[in-house]
Each structure stands twice: as C-alpha cells, then as structure tokens.
Amino acid sequence: MTAVQPSTLTGHFLIAMPNLADPPFSRGVALLCQHDEAGAVGLLVNQLSEYRFGDVLAQMKLECQDSELADAPVLIGGPVQQERGFVLHHEPGDWDSSYRINDHWSVTTSRDILVAMAAGEGPRQAIMVLGYAGWDAGQLEQELMANAWLTAEACGRVVFDTPLEERWSAAAGLVGVDPRQLSGYAGHA
C-alpha cells in the first residue's frame, strides 16, 4: 500500500531526521506556513535564540509588565532574515500584517500584535521567532525523497504546551515514531 501524500504540506510539521545535522535544522521541527509549486516557507518551533520576548519589546521601545511574558524565549525561525520577527499564533485576530496559514494557524509580522501582547491583549497562544526557513521549487520534495524529514499535521499542543527540548520527540510521536530508534542514515528499497 502506498501512502498518499497531500498536494501541499502547508500547516504540517517537518520533523528533521537524525541525519539532518545542519544547524539550525538538526533535531528541528518546522511548521510549514506555505508550500506550493514555487517552493516552501516554514518557521522552526524548537530552536532557542539568545533573546527573550522582553528584549524584543525593549528594542521596539515597548514596555511589558507581565514578567512571565517578558521572560518567554524567542526562537530561531530559520536561517533566512534572522533580523525579522514573526509571531506564530492560533487566533487569527485583526492585525495589520497577518498571513492565515489555515483554519488553525496564523503568522503576523506587524508591530500591532507586539503592542497588544505587551498590554496583555494579544493572542492567548503565541510564540515569537526570528527568521524563517525557505525552500526553492522542488527542493523540499527532494529533501523528503532523501528522507531528511518526517511530516505530520501541525499540533498546537507540541508548539504551545511542550517544553522546547521535547518538541522534536513529541512531533515525531504524532506519527508513531520514537526518534531515539531512528538511524542516522536512510535507504530505499
């Protein structure tokens, strides 16, 4: 029996196989924001940056009284444009610059969401990442055929409720895989 691949992996996780050792993708979990014949764009959701949310707010001259929010980690979203911030969240909201990934996920790049979050009025579940990951036309498909990635439908529990260091294993678990049991090489029958 052959598994049917969806025509697009938008709204799915890419879960790095052990043989994918390039930082920041090693043990990475990326949520694909867009995937079509032109290529793909995703955000890593488990790679810690050196910044905290309060650092980003301070740089934008915004105050935050919520110490838990200010101490929230900012993640490395990928190697492209790491000076650019993205807020990945569930509730779509009415922000100046948002992209609706699907019925469950949105990504926003405008300042107004940061202002709202600092005031305690932003989305209930959100993470901030710096940078993104991008794949040219056909590149992701080649990487999938080379067994560089597992795929699974993205799950908010993994992004918002699972500690960073456990997200890779938790994402792989969505498709019944224990990554500790995987080898660092792949073959084709």
Side-chain angles (χ1 to χ4, degrees), residues 47-54 56 68-76 126-129 164 167:
Q47 303 294 350
L48 187 62
S49 80
E50 62 190 79
Y51 302 105
R52 295 288 186 203
F53 195 68
V56 173
E68 187 177 331
L69 178 65
D71 195 45
V74 173
L75 306 180
I76 298 169
I127 61 169
M128 178 163 201
V129 303
L164 275 176
R167 289 182 189 171

Coordinates of all heavy atoms in Angstrom, one line a residue, residues 47-54 56 68-76 126-129 164 167:
Q47 N 14.0 25.8 18.2 CA 15.4 26.2 18.3 C 15.5 27.5 19.0 O 15.1 28.6 18.6 CB 16.0 26.3 16.9 CG 15.8 25.0 16.1 CD 16.7 23.9 16.6 OE1 17.5 24.0 17.5 NE2 16.4 22.7 16.1
L48 N 16.1 27.5 20.2 CA 16.2 28.6 21.1 C 17.2 29.7 20.6 O 18.3 29.3 20.1 CB 16.7 28.1 22.5 CG 16.7 29.2 23.6 CD1 15.3 29.7 23.9 CD2 17.2 28.5 24.9
S49 N 16.8 30.9 20.6 CA 17.7 32.0 20.3 C 18.3 32.5 21.6 O 18.0 32.0 22.7 CB 17.0 33.1 19.6 OG 16.3 34.0 20.5
E50 N 19.2 33.5 21.5 CA 19.8 34.1 22.7 C 18.8 35.2 23.3 O 19.2 35.7 24.4 CB 21.1 34.7 22.4 CG 21.0 35.9 21.4 CD 22.4 36.3 20.9 OE1 22.9 35.6 20.0 OE2 22.8 37.4 21.3
Y51 N 17.7 35.5 22.7 CA 16.8 36.6 23.2 C 15.6 36.1 23.9 O 15.2 34.9 23.8 CB 16.4 37.4 21.9 CG 17.5 37.9 21.2 CD1 17.9 37.4 19.9 CD2 18.2 39.0 21.6 CE1 18.9 37.9 19.2 CE2 19.3 39.5 20.9 CZ 19.6 39.0 19.7 OH 20.7 39.5 19.0
R52 N 15.1 37.0 24.7 CA 13.8 36.8 25.4 C 12.8 37.8 24.8 O 13.2 38.8 24.2 CB 13.9 37.0 26.9 CG 14.8 36.0 27.6 CD 14.1 34.7 27.6 NE 14.8 33.7 28.4 CZ 14.6 32.4 28.2 NH1 13.8 32.0 27.3 NH2 15.3 31.6 28.9
F53 N 11.5 37.5 25.0 CA 10.5 38.4 24.4 C 10.7 39.8 24.9 O 10.5 40.8 24.2 CB 9.1 37.9 24.8 CG 8.0 38.5 23.9 CD1 7.9 38.2 22.6 CD2 7.1 39.3 24.5 CE1 6.9 38.8 21.8 CE2 6.1 39.9 23.8 CZ 6.0 39.6 22.5
G54 N 11.0 40.0 26.2 CA 11.3 41.3 26.7 C 12.4 42.1 26.0 O 12.3 43.3 25.9
V56 N 13.1 41.9 22.8 CA 12.5 42.3 21.6 C 11.6 43.5 21.8 O 11.7 44.5 21.1 CB 11.7 41.2 20.8 CG1 10.9 41.7 19.6 CG2 12.6 40.1 20.4
E68 N 6.3 37.0 33.2 CA 6.3 35.7 32.5 C 6.4 35.9 31.0 O 7.2 35.2 30.3 CB 5.1 34.9 32.9 CG 5.1 33.5 32.4 CD 3.9 32.7 32.9 OE1 3.4 33.0 33.9 OE2 3.5 31.8 32.1
L69 N 5.7 36.8 30.4 CA 5.7 37.1 29.0 C 7.1 37.6 28.6 O 7.7 37.2 27.6 CB 4.6 38.0 28.6 CG 4.6 38.4 27.1 CD1 4.3 37.2 26.2 CD2 3.6 39.5 26.8
A70 N 7.6 38.6 29.4 CA 8.9 39.2 29.1 C 10.0 38.1 29.1 O 11.0 38.3 28.4 CB 9.2 40.3 30.1
D71 N 9.9 37.1 29.9 CA 10.9 36.1 30.0 C 10.7 34.9 29.0 O 11.5 34.0 28.9 CB 11.0 35.5 31.4 CG 12.2 34.7 31.7 OD1 13.3 35.2 31.3 OD2 12.1 33.6 32.2
A72 N 9.6 35.0 28.2 CA 9.4 33.9 27.3 C 10.5 33.9 26.2 O 11.0 34.9 25.8 CB 8.0 34.1 26.6
P73 N 10.9 32.7 25.8 CA 12.0 32.6 24.8 C 11.6 33.1 23.5 O 10.4 32.9 23.1 CB 12.3 31.1 24.8 CG 11.1 30.4 25.3 CD 10.4 31.4 26.2
V74 N 12.5 33.6 22.7 CA 12.3 33.9 21.3 C 13.1 32.8 20.6 O 14.2 32.5 21.0 CB 12.9 35.3 21.0 CG1 12.9 35.6 19.5 CG2 12.1 36.4 21.7
L75 N 12.5 32.3 19.6 CA 13.1 31.1 18.9 C 13.8 31.6 17.6 O 13.5 32.6 17.0 CB 12.1 30.1 18.6 CG 11.2 29.6 19.8 CD1 10.2 28.6 19.4 CD2 12.1 29.1 20.9
I76 N 14.7 30.7 17.1 CA 15.3 30.9 15.8 C 14.3 30.2 14.8 O 14.1 29.0 14.8 CB 16.6 30.2 15.7 CG1 17.6 30.8 16.7 CG2 17.2 30.2 14.3 CD1 18.9 30.0 16.9
A126 N 0.8 32.0 21.5 CA 1.7 32.6 20.5 C 3.1 32.4 20.9 O 3.5 32.3 22.1 CB 1.4 34.1 20.4
I127 N 4.0 32.2 19.8 CA 5.4 32.2 20.0 C 6.0 33.2 19.1 O 5.4 33.5 18.0 CB 6.0 30.8 19.8 CG1 5.8 30.3 18.4 CG2 5.5 29.8 20.9 CD1 6.6 29.1 18.0
M128 N 7.2 33.7 19.4 CA 7.9 34.6 18.5 C 9.2 34.0 18.0 O 9.9 33.3 18.8 CB 8.2 35.9 19.2 CG 9.0 36.8 18.3 SD 9.0 38.5 18.9 CE 9.4 39.3 17.4
V129 N 9.4 34.1 16.7 CA 10.6 33.6 16.1 C 11.3 34.7 15.3 O 10.7 35.6 14.9 CB 10.3 32.3 15.2 CG1 9.6 31.2 16.0 CG2 9.6 32.7 14.0
L164 N 10.6 23.1 25.0 CA 11.4 23.2 23.8 C 12.2 21.9 23.5 O 12.2 21.4 22.4 CB 12.4 24.3 23.9 CG 11.9 25.7 23.5 CD1 13.0 26.7 23.7 CD2 11.5 25.7 22.0
R167 N 10.1 19.0 22.0 CA 9.2 19.2 20.8 C 9.6 18.3 19.7 O 8.7 17.8 19.0 CB 9.3 20.6 20.4 CG 8.5 21.5 21.4 CD 8.5 23.0 21.0 NE 7.9 23.7 22.1 CZ 7.9 25.1 22.1 NH1 8.3 25.8 21.1 NH2 7.4 25.7 23.2

